[in-house]
Amino acid sequence: MRLVRTEDAVGQVLCHDITQIIRGVTKDAVFRKGHVIREEDIPVLLSVGKDHIYIWENDETMMHEDEAADVLRGICQSEYMRATPPKEGKIELIAERDGLFLADTQRLRAINSLGRMMIATRPAGTPVKAGDKLCGTRIIPLVIEKEAMAEAARAAGETPLLQLKPMRAKKFGVVTTGNEVFHGRIQDTFTPVLQEKLAEYGCEMIAHEVSDDDHARITRCIRGMLDAGAEMVLCTGGMSVDPDDKTPLAIKNSGARIVSYGAPVLPGAMFLLSYMEDGRPVCGLPGCVMYAKRTIFDIVLPYLLADVPVTADMLAGLGNGGLCLNCSECHYPNCGFGKWQ
């Protein structure tokens, strides 16, 4: 590209969009890339502060911002995403269906560390709806060396940086534990909360058992639900360190592989996550899930429904941002709570 005085640019080709910003009214391009400048365009260009402009000169070693943004788009895009047309050098990816949004943050950082280019995403690990914006890509200058974009492609590797995993409505069972509920001393108010929460994802409760604090009985309830076709079992009650709380032992004795008992999240520290050999999750839910608006369970649940395994290392990474601030008006997941590191 070549820099010229605006008054001398008649007949030349713009190599980038010219944006006009009027506060509270508009922010849009008055002229698009590729526009051939006319005499009557000069006052408009001057009015938006363009005393000098860049015009296009072909150079086989360079790449225009729109083309470069498309390279970054290709690095990111995978199934169930659509790309917007380039606008002011930027391309965005939009979700085509509901799902769990994932990003390879290490490769994302590697590309953004190259300089003069950027990929900005929404936080990974959060559920999204069809039509939600997932990311934006652009380069910082108007043109960039083709070799620089080739370097970005090499840093990205062969698989897309971003994924949108469909979540599947699952049939689940609930084991309510505790002598106080089993003997009718108090009412079970936990199970209706779970039914309502999972109904948001289309899930159906196919079994519900109430057990006393006998760990062998709790184990039989878990196994019975799995044998009956439950795709996920949730155990409530008995998750603290009191001597009568036997739910963690019962889950272990069911044959489940314990991923973690405890998570660096408040509310939700006493959460237990385990998987059966066939991948079906069995969770021990702390009491906060019954009364708190958002907890560890809201963070992990989309992964369980998308069949994306959760590891102990992933849970450990929740500590930074794992403290819910209990805002008077909850905006989760559009807040800092529970972002996977």
Side-chain angles (χ1 to χ4, degrees):
M1 60 186 178
R2 180 163 57 92
L3 185 65
V4 299
R5 292 178 66 249
T6 299
E7 290 90 339
D8 300 332
V10 175
Q12 302 293 336
V13 178
L14 273 176
C15 66
H16 62 97
D17 294 348
I18 301 293
T19 302
Q20 182 183 51
I21 302 174
I22 303 176
R23 184 181 179 187
V25 178
T26 185
K27 179 188 181 294
D28 204 355
V30 289
F31 299 110
R32 296 288 185 191
K33 180 198 75 167
H35 175 75
V36 179
I37 301 169
R38 303 162 299 177
E39 188 70 45
E40 57 267 32
D41 298 334
I42 302 304
V44 180
L45 291 165
L46 293 172
S47 73
V48 296
K50 301 300 179 184
D51 291 337
H52 298 79
I53 56 174
Y54 287 106
I55 60 172
W56 184 253
E57 288 188 322
N58 193 32
D59 185 338
E60 292 301 323
T61 68
M62 304 298 288
M63 186 176 289
H64 186 270
E65 61 177 352
D66 287 353
E67 297 173 275
D70 193 55
V71 171
L72 297 174
R73 185 275 316 157
I75 285 171
C76 294
Q77 188 173 6
S78 60
E79 197 174 8
Y80 311 121
M81 303 176 189
R82 64 174 175 85
T84 63
K87 183 178 181 182
E88 300 174 10
K90 178 177 67 177
I91 296 176
E92 296 176 341
L93 289 177
I94 309 297
E96 289 189 316
R97 62 167 298 162
D98 297 359
L100 172 66
F101 174 66
L102 300 174
D104 187 322
T105 55
Q106 288 188 336
R107 288 190 290 151
L108 178 65
R109 178 186 290 269
I111 292 170
N112 284 330
S113 296
L114 294 175
R116 298 188 298 158
M117 62 188 73
M118 55 79 62
I119 301 169
T121 77
R122 68 166 49 227
T126 54
V128 299
K129 296 289 187 181
D132 282 351
K133 188 185 302 183
L134 302 178
C135 82
T137 69
R138 72 173 305 160
I139 61 168
I140 307 306
L142 293 173
V143 294
I144 194 169
E145 299 86 355
K146 291 181 179 179
E147 176 53 33
M149 300 313 300
E151 184 181 1
R154 288 192 294 269
E158 297 182 358
T159 57
L161 262 65
L162 309 182
Q163 296 182 68
L164 186 57
K165 295 286 190 179
M167 293 183 290
R168 184 170 57 87
K170 292 189 175 183
K171 298 177 181 179
F172 67 97
V174 176
V175 182
T176 301
T177 73
N179 290 336
E180 66 278 20
V181 180
F182 183 76
H183 293 294
R185 299 168 190 156
I186 65 169
Q187 183 180 359
D188 172 23
T189 56
F190 209 144
T191 302
V193 171
L194 293 178
Q195 287 180 280
E196 182 179 357
K197 188 177 291 289
L198 273 85
E200 296 177 11
Y201 296 96
C203 297
E204 174 191 2
M205 185 174 73
I206 63 166
H208 178 219
E209 296 284 348
V210 179
S211 173
D212 57 10
D213 289 316
D214 177 5
H215 66 84
R217 183 188 183 107
I218 299 170
T219 297
R220 289 195 299 271
C221 290
I222 294 171
R223 293 296 325 180
M225 291 179 182
L226 293 169
D227 292 343
E231 299 170 283
M232 179 168 59
V233 176
L234 308 174
C235 301
T236 68
M239 289 303 301
S240 74
V241 294
D242 293 342
D244 290 332
D245 289 339
K246 303 295 178 59
T247 303
L249 174 61
I251 294 174
K252 179 181 179 181
N253 290 343
S254 72
R257 174 182 60 85
I258 306 295
V259 174
S260 180
Y261 177 25
V265 176
L266 291 173
M270 305 304 292
F271 173 70
L272 187 151
L273 175 64
S274 70
Y275 290 97
M276 303 304 296
E277 187 175 348
D278 59 9
R280 286 183 289 178
V282 178
C283 300
L285 304 184
C288 61
V289 177
M290 176 173 56
Y291 60 82
K293 180 69 175 177
R294 298 296 181 184
T295 69
I296 178 66
F297 188 51
D298 296 281
I299 301 170
V300 172
L301 180 58
Y303 279 77
L304 304 182
L305 300 182
D307 294 317
V308 176
V310 175
T311 67
D313 185 63
M314 290 169 63
L315 290 172
L318 289 172
N320 181 21
L323 178 65
C324 178
L325 299 180
N326 297 310
C327 303
S328 57
E329 184 178 356
C330 180
H331 295 286
Y332 181 85
N334 298 322
C335 68
F337 176 59
K339 299 300 181 285
W340 300 89
Q341 301 299 314

